């Protein structure tokens, strides 16, 4: 990916391990890396070509002022995939509806971490109306056990980097094992289905894993807010630069996947 040397990679104040790796990778290709001192848009970056890596709260705080176009998968992406790829029933609904669940289910907010994404024994265990409005969209899925999970950084419909990040529900970071060919084959199936019935932005992260019943999609997330784990930082940077860059350079095909940014008062 060719990028002007005037471009800047803006990193959140609380820089994580992936941010440190991306800062180094950016320097290797002549990009300026700028770590924000606060949760405000740095005035010295106004009017410049800026790309971002950081969490949703940081992106919301600075994205509008810097003219960024932040790409993220649609809230209904996982539920739009066929069951043979998800390995379970997945429904996009509201928090109010999820609160009425009578049995266990895995519940998460698709884009933001409004509450912990986990298995809830019953809907009444979810945050109540005094904490969150009932119209918050949530994904509700059958409970499945993933023996191993992998993160895929996807650019233009192809996997650019992959890493294991979990084994039996515990953090386990490393390169894909000897079954990498199976992983590649399943990833190709998922991306082919995405092109037909569940479109992704041109740059995104897709998590997949193995269950007792076979391979299944875990979820999809914004590349600009996702950990790289053991992925090649240069490949991750390619995906991040596309996923969070100047809005006026964004192709029309990606505009349906723009994150809606709030108005931030100075």
């Amino acid at each position: 990916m060719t990028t002007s040397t005037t471009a800047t990679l803006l990193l959140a104040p609380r820089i994580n391990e992936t941010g440190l790796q991306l800062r180094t990778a950016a320097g290797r290709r002549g990009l300026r890396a700028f770590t924000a001192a606060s949760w405000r848009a740095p005035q010295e970056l106004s009017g410049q070509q800026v790309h971002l890596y950081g969490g949703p709260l940081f992106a919301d705080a600075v994205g509008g002022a810097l003219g960024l176009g932040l790409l993220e998968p649609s809230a209904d992406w996982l539920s739009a995939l066929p069951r043979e790829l998800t390995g379970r029933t997945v429904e996009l609904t509201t928090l109010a509806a999820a609160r009425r669940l009578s049995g266990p289910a895995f519940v998460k907010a698709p884009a933001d971490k409004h509450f912990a994404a986990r298995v809830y024994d019953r809907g009444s265990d979810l945050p109540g109306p005094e904490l969150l409005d009932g119209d918050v969209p949530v994904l509700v899925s059958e409970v499945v056990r993933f023996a191993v999970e992998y993160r895929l950084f996807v650019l233009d419909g192809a996997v650019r980097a992959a890493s294991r990040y979990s084994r039996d529900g515990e953090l386990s970071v490393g390169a894909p094992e000897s079954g990498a060919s199976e992983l590649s084959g399943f990833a190709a199936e998922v991306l082919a289905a995405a092109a037909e019935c569940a479109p992704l932005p041109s740059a995104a992260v897709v998590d997949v894993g193995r269950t007792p019943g076979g391979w299944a999609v875990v979820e999809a997330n914004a590349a600009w807010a996702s950990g790289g784990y053991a992925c090649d930082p240069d490949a991750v940077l390619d995906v991040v630069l596309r996923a969070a860059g100047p809005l006026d350079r964004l192709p029309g095909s990606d505009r349906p996947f723009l994150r809606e940014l709030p108005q931030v008062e100075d």
Side-chain angles (χ1 to χ4, degrees):
M1 179 175 181
T2 301
T3 306
S4 168
T5 56
T6 61
T8 296
L9 176 66
L10 176 62
L11 301 161
R14 298 172 185 170
I15 189 169
N16 59 17
E17 180 62 28
T18 300
L20 292 172
Q21 293 176 349
L22 293 180
R23 185 171 67 184
T24 300
R28 282 197 296 265
R29 64 178 70 180
L31 301 180
R32 180 190 184 196
F34 188 105
T35 303
S38 71
W39 289 58
R40 290 179 177 271
Q43 292 185 352
E44 55 264 58
L45 298 184
S46 178
Q48 297 189 27
Q49 179 185 339
V50 178
H51 301 262
L52 175 143
Y53 178 77
L57 293 178
F58 179 65
D60 286 348
V62 306
L66 295 174
L68 297 180
L70 302 170
L71 301 179
E72 60 186 6
S74 302
D76 65 348
W77 183 77
L78 186 62
S79 61
L81 288 174
R83 184 187 172 95
E84 55 263 30
L85 294 180
T86 62
R88 63 206 186 277
T89 300
V90 183
E91 178 188 10
L92 178 68
T93 185
T94 64
L95 181 56
R99 288 176 180 140
R100 297 193 290 269
L101 292 170
S102 59
F106 183 87
V107 185
K108 68 161 290 184
D112 296 299
K113 296 181 179 179
H114 293 296
F115 56 89
R118 62 175 178 85
V119 175
Y120 289 85
D121 291 333
R122 58 192 65 80
S124 58
D125 293 337
L126 287 160
E130 72 281 1
L131 297 176
L132 279 177
D133 292 337
D135 59 358
V136 170
V138 296
L139 286 168
V140 176
S141 65
E142 292 180 78
V143 179
V144 296
R145 182 180 66 82
F146 284 93
V148 60
E149 298 171 60
Y150 302 92
R151 173 146 296 170
L152 312 175
F153 279 82
V154 176
L155 185 65
D156 293 327
V159 176
R160 294 295 302 272
S163 169
R164 188 187 71 242
Y165 66 88
S166 176
R167 194 187 295 278
D168 294 324
E170 300 292 334
L171 183 66
S172 175
V173 176
E177 302 89 337
S178 56
S181 60
E182 291 184 15
L183 171 61
S184 297
F186 182 69
E189 289 184 45
V190 173
L191 296 178
E196 292 182 3
C197 62
L200 283 167
S202 66
V205 160
V206 176
D207 293 343
V208 302
R210 287 203 311 267
T211 74
W215 287 91
V217 178
V218 179
E219 60 184 2
N221 289 297
W224 46 264
S226 297
Y229 298 114
C231 288
D232 173 23
D234 286 294
V236 172
L237 180 59
D238 283 337
V239 182
V240 169
L241 292 176
R242 176 79 65 80
L247 177 61
D248 59 8
R249 299 189 178 198
L250 197 69
S253 57
D254 269 331
R255 290 187 175 269
F257 304 101
L258 279 171
R259 180 179 179 85
E260 185 176 349
L261 296 174
Q263 293 292 329
V264 178
E265 298 182 1
D266 293 332

